[in-house]
Amino acid sequence: QVQLVESGGDLVQAGGSLRLSCAASGIIFSIDVMGWYRQAPGKQRELVATINRGDSTNYGDPVKGRFTISRDNAKNTVYLQMNSLKPEDTAVYYCAAFGVRTTFSYGSQYWGQGTQVTVSS
């Protein structure tokens, strides 16, 4: 079984920075794509950023130029560096892993528990 463990969510002031981490645990051979999604109250879950095994990245428009996603394949860990934070970035941030290969599965999808990020004015 695979579990995603997140850390780094906090309360910060506008203009500040925050770094989120998410580690996938279990006997994992590879993960095709890792990413971050967020959901604000009353809104649908939206893409923040994704990164594949070759370190190709994709960002949602609201965070381009401010957030940076990276991964450590040896540790099966994905990071999200969040700079110049705005109040509209306030949301629950979820870590995700797609195309996970283990002894017991192929191409499975896993999600973290979510971590709260709150940006005050």
Side-chain angles (χ1 to χ4, degrees), residues 2-5 21-32 34 53 70-79 95-97 100-102:
V2 175
Q3 183 177 1
L4 303 183
V5 181
S21 300
C22 173
S25 63
I27 304 175
I28 300 170
F29 294 108
S30 65
I31 302 174
D32 289 341
M34 302 189 76
R53 294 179 64 199
S70 61
R71 66 186 287 175
D72 185 335
N73 292 332
K75 297 180 179 180
N76 289 320
T77 300
V78 63
Y79 307 93
C95 175
V100 181
R101 292 171 174 80
T102 71

Side-chain angles (χ1 to χ4, degrees), residues 3-63:
Q3 183 177 1
L4 303 183
V5 181
E6 303 174 347
S7 63
D10 208 346
L11 170 65
V12 298
Q13 293 185 342
S17 297
L18 203 60
R19 193 187 195 218
L20 306 183
S21 300
C22 173
S25 63
I27 304 175
I28 300 170
F29 294 108
S30 65
I31 302 174
D32 289 341
V33 178
M34 302 189 76
W36 294 91
Y37 296 77
R38 68 187 185 185
Q39 186 169 16
K43 296 184 178 180
Q44 296 291 327
R45 184 180 64 184
E46 67 176 4
L47 167 72
V48 177
T50 60
I51 183 168
N52 68 11
R53 294 179 64 199
D55 290 339
S56 178
T57 59
N58 182 44
Y59 294 92
D61 288 337
V63 309

Side-chain angles (χ1 to χ4, degrees), residues 101-115:
R101 292 171 174 80
T102 71
T103 302
F104 308 103
S105 64
Y106 177 85
S108 297
Q109 174 185 132
Y110 297 92
W111 290 84
Q113 76 285 353
T115 184

